[in-house]
Amino acid sequence: MATVSPADVQRIAAIESPVLRNLEITHAYSLLAAAVAERGSSGANWCVFATWASRQAGATIRGEDALDVLTDRLGGGSLLHPLRTFGRWLLRRGLLNRGSRLGRLMGRLHTPFDAVELASDAVARGNRKVFEEIGYEFARWLAAADLDTFLSGLRAGDPPDGQRLLRSAFTRYSDPASGPQELLLANLEIGLHEQTRLQPEICEALDAATITAEELGRRLCPNRRPRVQKAAGLLAAPVQGWLAELSREIITHSLMVLSVPGRILLLGANLDDPFPEVLRVLSDEELAALVAMFEPSGVDHSGATDWSDLHQRMHYIVHLFRAFHEDRVLFDAPFTPVQVKAILAGVIPDGDL
């Protein structure tokens, strides 16, 4: 079975193209998930969920989910299929990537959807940020000679700077006596570390559509005096307000959807899937205490109304990790062998990514 080494993680994290980097990250997570499962863990490990979260992030990084929302707003249907196909073709050739020739041209135009490009960049940076830390630690743990050697490389303290939660999680992964509840606790500890670290990028992505009249004026009249720029911005504000609302809808949709094999999960909706029998009653005191931190009193609705709120994100993640713990379909490969071959050759493949 193919594996991912710490050197592989460093190589992938250094890839300049955010689209190709994301594709390799997603593939690497799937390999790490399989390798962790080979160690004897029962149920889905954190890398399983990371695989599909990274694949979903790829749609935002490429701008494809934005294209889907836009065409749906225009009415959808077969008549718009050529537009969707051409738009996807442009996106996969770097329309939102400032490192490509097409992306640099797009950047000079300052289109109404600059916010989508900014959100794409924030998601790409978050995707790399998590992988080059947590993906690296998984690769290092799999390659370590013993647990103590591995743990000595983790920083003390709480996130975002400390790695206490990672230390606790990998200790549980390493214990042969760990059962489903200990594994769920380990997954949630890594999830809390990850989401704490991602807070700046998530807020940045959601706020990308916000623009002041002064900034709008500078974009419309870059070589004019400040007074003229401000006047232009105020005149264009009503139109920009509608465009900003559309951009915000696109960005919110991008961040509030998770595609897993056979399903599309709306993160703002209640996840009412039943918990596996082994996780219905939480007998592990540490797990019960961590879950209780994010469970509201009264009626429990796991859907998040504000994805920038860490507590709401973790509430949904608690339900997601718990409900899908025994779902083996999550171990499916995110890409076909033909797509993987193209990705590893530095080519963005065709088909559903």
Side-chain angles (χ1 to χ4, degrees):
M1 182 181 66
T3 187
V4 179
S5 70
D8 290 329
V9 174
Q10 292 173 327
R11 176 192 63 78
I12 294 169
I15 294 174
E16 185 174 351
S17 166
V19 172
L20 283 171
R21 183 175 66 237
N22 163 262
L23 293 172
E24 284 224 40
I25 286 174
T26 303
H27 175 58
Y29 274 139
S30 70
L31 297 179
L32 289 169
V36 174
E38 283 286 315
R39 288 285 185 97
S41 60
S42 59
N45 55 70
W46 180 87
C47 291
V48 170
F49 296 102
T51 299
W52 300 104
S54 180
R55 188 175 186 270
Q56 184 66 52
T60 303
I61 292 167
R62 295 188 300 274
E64 292 175 8
D65 47 11
L67 178 65
D68 291 341
V69 173
L70 182 59
T71 52
D72 287 344
R73 281 289 294 266
L74 294 175
S78 59
L79 291 177
L80 289 175
H81 180 71
L83 173 62
R84 189 189 297 261
T85 300
F86 180 63
R88 183 163 292 193
W89 183 87
L90 289 174
L91 289 167
R92 293 194 179 183
R93 278 149 186 81
L95 187 65
L96 299 183
N97 178 13
R98 291 293 179 92
S100 70
R101 183 177 302 176
L102 185 60
R104 287 192 293 272
L105 174 62
M106 185 72 169
R108 295 192 192 102
L109 296 178
H110 289 303
T111 70
F113 297 105
D114 280 358
V116 176
E117 182 181 353
L118 292 173
S120 168
D121 177 68
V123 171
R125 284 186 280 111
N127 186 231
R128 173 164 59 183
K129 181 180 186 177
V130 171
F131 179 70
E132 67 182 351
E133 183 197 15
I134 301 179
Y136 179 82
E137 296 303 344
F138 266 101
R140 200 170 65 83
W141 176 70
L142 289 166
D146 59 78
L147 180 62
D148 289 340
T149 300
F150 168 77
L151 293 178
S152 66
L154 295 176
R155 298 184 300 274
D158 291 327
D161 299 318
Q163 295 177 312
R164 177 186 63 81
L165 292 173
L166 297 186
R167 171 184 286 270
S168 177
F170 281 107
T171 300
R172 299 182 203 283
Y173 276 135
S174 302
D175 186 351
S178 289
Q181 298 208 10
E182 289 80 11
L183 179 58
L184 174 60
L185 177 54
N187 291 342
L188 290 174
E189 287 172 326
I190 298 177
L192 179 55
H193 177 94
E194 167 207 17
Q195 292 301 316
T196 304
R197 294 263 294 154
L198 278 178
Q199 186 67 16
E201 285 77 17
I202 291 173
C203 291
E204 184 179 342
L206 287 168
D207 292 341
T210 303
I211 181 174
T212 64
E214 289 80 0
E215 175 60 23
L216 179 59
R218 284 194 293 272
R219 294 184 181 184
L220 294 172
C221 307
N223 299 318
R224 300 290 183 174
R225 289 180 296 178
R227 185 176 298 177
V228 175
Q229 291 176 341
K230 185 174 183 178
L234 290 172
L235 288 172
V239 175
Q240 172 61 24
W242 179 82
L243 292 170
E245 182 181 349
L246 177 58
S247 297
R248 192 174 293 108
E249 177 186 344
I250 290 171
I251 293 166
T252 301
H253 176 272
S254 300
L255 297 180
M256 296 289 286
V257 170
L258 177 62
S259 295
V260 296
R263 291 183 65 176
I264 297 178
L265 302 176
L266 303 179
L267 309 187
N270 183 46
L271 184 63
D272 56 5
D273 291 54
F275 299 141
E277 181 66 34
V278 293
L279 296 177
R280 286 180 188 170
V281 177
L282 301 182
S283 56
D284 184 287
E285 293 183 359
E286 290 183 82
L287 173 60
L290 181 59
V291 168
M293 288 173 57
F294 303 105
E295 293 291 353
S297 57
V299 178
D300 186 7
H301 185 283
S302 61
T305 58
D306 180 5
W307 199 245
S308 68
D309 187 301
L310 173 63
H311 190 279
Q312 291 190 34
R313 290 202 308 277
M314 282 303 303
H315 181 206
Y316 188 90
I317 288 168
V318 165
H319 280 252
L320 176 68
F321 284 12
R322 194 173 174 184
F324 283 73
H325 184 77
E326 293 183 345
D327 195 339
R328 300 302 300 178
V329 75
L330 295 182
F331 281 92
D332 288 356
F335 306 121
T336 67
V338 172
Q339 288 176 326
V340 170
K341 184 177 180 180
I343 291 167
L344 297 182
V347 177
I348 300 173
D350 294 326
D352 185 18
L353 298 176

